[in-house]
Structure formats: C-alpha cells, structure tokens
Amino acid sequence: MKNNIFRNVIILLLILFVVLIVFGGSYTYWNAANPEKTCASCHEISPSHQTWASSAHSQITCFKCHGTALSNGLHSFSEKANMVFTHVKSAPHRDEIRMSEEQILETMQRCKGCHENEYSNWIASGHSASYSHIFLDEKHNATEQLNFDCLRCHGMFYAGTTYDLVEPISVEGPWKMKDESRADLATIPCMACHKIHSRGMPSVRPDYANPGYIFYGRVVQNNSIGLYVRNEEIHFDLANLPTPVILNDTDTVQTPNDPVYRLCVQCHAPSVRHQAGSSDDKTPTGVHEGISCRACHEPHSNFQRNSCDKCHGDKSKNCKLDVRTMNTTYISPESPNNIHRVACQDCHDDGRNSSKSVKQ
C-alpha cells in the first residue's frame, strides 16, 4: 500500500515537472519569438504589428511595453486570460482591438523605463493633471458647466461619459467623483499626443567625415506625434490635422508653420467665432504673431521661463528695454498685457520704437 502511494506521488511529481517544463518553454518561446508567429497571428493585432514593424520602436519587443501574462502577477494573468476567452467565446466585432484606459496608463508606466526624462518633464507640466484636478475645480465648474466635450481633451481614453464621472453636472456644487478610484488618474497620458505604433525609423549616426553636411542630411521627424480623437477612437497624424483660421477682430492671424501647433490648437482652441485669445486659445498675435508654441514652451514640461533668452538679447533692439522685466504676463500673471497677445501699442502710445515712449 505504501509503495503504491509513493509511486503515485512520484508519478504526480513527474507529471507536474513535465507540465512546468512545457509551460515554461512555451511561455519563453511566446515572449521571444517573432510577433508574426505569436501575437500578430490574430487578425486584430495585424494592423498594429504592421505599423510597429516600420516604426522607431521596431527593435523593441512587444512585451517591453505591453508586459507579459505574468509581468504583473495575477492581475496581468487574469487580464490576458480574459482577452483569450473573450476572443474564443464570440466573434470579434471589430478588426482592430483597442486598449482600455487602464491598459494605457499601465503601458505609460513602462514608457518611462526608456523615456525617463520626458516622463519627469510631463509630471512637472500642466498636462499631468488628474481627474480630480480637472473635474473638481470649483472655480472653473462654477464658471462653465461640465459637459460631454470636457472628455475630448481631459480623459480621451475614458470609456464612460461626464455623467458617469462626476456629479452634479451643474454650475452649483459641491462636486464629487462618482468613482473615487479615478480621482488621481492622469487625464492626458502619453498616448493622447503620441501614437506609439507609427511609421518612422530609429535615429542613426551622421556622416562624421562630412560634418558640414550633417545639417542638410537631417530630416525633421515628428513620427509619433498626433492627436487621439475620442469619438473616432483613432490617432490622427500631424499631417492630417487641419490648420484653423484664427481672427484678430476681422484680420486673419498668421499662424505658425510648425505642424505641432496644429496639435496644440485642437485643445487650446478658440471659440466658435475663431477669435484669437477666446476660450482656451493661445495663438500668438501682436509682436509674437507667427511664432510656434515650441519656440517658447519646452516639449513635455511646457517650461517657458527660458523662452525670452532663446530669441532676445539683454535688451530689445526696438524698445531698448529688457524684455524679461516688461509689464507682461511673463513677469506677472496679474499683468494686463498677455504675453501671447502683447503688441507695440500696448506699451507705446506714440508709435515710436523708443524707451522714452513707454507708458508709465
């Protein structure tokens, strides 16, 4: 009897050992093999794989960004198992699957593994605002009632509506999150402006033998930059974003040629009358007309305290004044002269380019 029990235990352990070997080998192969033989063998993944293969991230394996079935313990295992179960259980209703907001935010945490500097700059910017920062802002909510369009820029990947997120939908508070677990989640993650699976090539070293031609051989690339449109559930490349017509009273404002401006203005947009400075618009007019957002705002951090030094010397050639100390919103948010719209006549009442004509 004891011999039979011992033999059964040995057999059971051998079976378990074989199962672990097979599972471990299969798991290792799945993560190391060419995606065409694993993930991309499903037709829903094919479009993403095709763009990944021709992108700047083509040398980075899928699981580096998306994780594996065991990368996040039981949570990731159940998530991947549920994806397989859902796929097998019923015919998919779309040819290309989408990541949920939770998956987007998890992937964003992996972005900082390679893009640590960009991530830290983003954290320090206004674009890292959470749901509670945006939707529980008493001053803003009392001025402008929350509506469905808020999620167009703040919460692009959120699956619900504004009514599912916060209450009451009114200019009278107090306001509270319906789901407190979302309060600290980022409303503008990396993928709001970056399409990771986008066409592009990894950077290469220039021709050092001809340093004078390095400038001419460098191609301007904005490969991953684009706008995620919530209603369409798709990224639009910069080339496909329209350049809006901005008016200053009845005059058409000269807008920057920089394609990134077309991205910024999708959220920092004017009112329906297209007047510069209306609503959330920051299109420069006056002395800064035609200048791109990136000329003053650093990427990701939006830091602008060094912006004057990029173009100006110690003193303006026209006014003979230190532009850093002029009475504009650059020096003080209380200034009546918005740095985006300041014009010569805001300071000079006689039209002369002289410091003697500056209003006191």
Side-chain angles (χ1 to χ4, degrees), residues 127-305:
H127 288 159
S128 64
S130 66
Y131 279 100
S132 60
H133 290 135
I134 298 298
F135 291 93
L136 300 185
D137 186 326
E138 295 185 359
K139 181 179 179 180
H140 183 276
N141 291 356
T143 304
E144 182 178 347
Q145 181 171 304
L146 294 169
N147 59 78
F148 71 94
D149 198 46
C150 297
L151 294 170
R152 179 173 60 87
C153 296
H154 304 288
M156 297 176 178
F157 299 96
Y158 178 55
T161 67
T162 309
Y163 287 91
D164 302 320
L165 188 64
V166 63
E167 61 180 1
I169 304 299
S170 169
V171 292
E172 296 181 1
W175 297 270
K176 65 177 182 178
M177 302 291 297
K178 284 189 173 181
D179 183 359
E180 290 293 338
S181 65
R182 313 200 71 81
D184 296 327
L185 298 182
T187 59
I188 311 176
C190 305
M191 289 72 161
C193 301
H194 293 280
K195 181 182 179 183
I196 308 306
H197 288 222
S198 58
R199 296 190 180 279
M201 295 298 294
S203 297
V204 296
R205 294 181 182 275
D207 181 9
Y208 296 112
N210 297 288
Y213 288 87
I214 291 177
F215 165 79
Y216 301 98
R218 182 174 296 169
V219 179
V220 177
Q221 297 187 27
N222 293 305
N223 298 327
S224 72
I225 305 178
L227 178 72
Y228 182 81
V229 178
R230 171 183 168 84
N231 291 339
E232 301 290 338
E233 295 186 319
I234 191 173
H235 276 91
F236 284 86
D237 296 335
L238 290 181
N240 296 324
L241 295 178
T243 301
V245 175
I246 307 294
L247 301 175
N248 189 7
D249 291 331
T250 58
D251 296 331
T252 301
V253 175
Q254 178 186 354
T255 55
N257 287 327
D258 184 1
V260 174
Y261 164 77
R262 298 201 296 269
L263 170 65
C264 299
V265 80
Q266 301 305 315
C267 287
H268 297 281
S271 67
V272 293
R273 298 183 182 276
H274 286 229
Q275 286 294 318
S278 62
S279 191
D280 296 318
D281 180 65
K282 300 294 189 294
T283 302
T285 58
V287 296
H288 293 135
E289 183 172 345
I291 294 179
S292 170
C293 311
R294 290 196 292 182
C296 299
H297 295 272
E298 297 289 343
H300 299 101
S301 69
N302 298 325
F303 185 75
Q304 74 282 4
R305 298 310 294 174

Side-chain angles (χ1 to χ4, degrees), residues 319-321 326-327 344 346-350 352-360:
C319 301
K320 312 303 181 186
L321 295 176
M326 286 184 177
N327 183 19
C344 297
D346 292 332
C347 296
H348 301 276
D349 55 11
D350 58 4
R352 291 184 299 167
N353 293 327
S354 169
S355 60
K356 294 180 180 180
S357 62
V358 175
K359 295 178 181 178
Q360 301 298 321

Side-chain angles (χ1 to χ4, degrees), residues 3 90 125 141 186 193 278 311 326 328:
N3 290 336
S90 59
S125 76
N141 291 356
C193 301
S278 62
C311 296
M326 286 184 177
T328 67

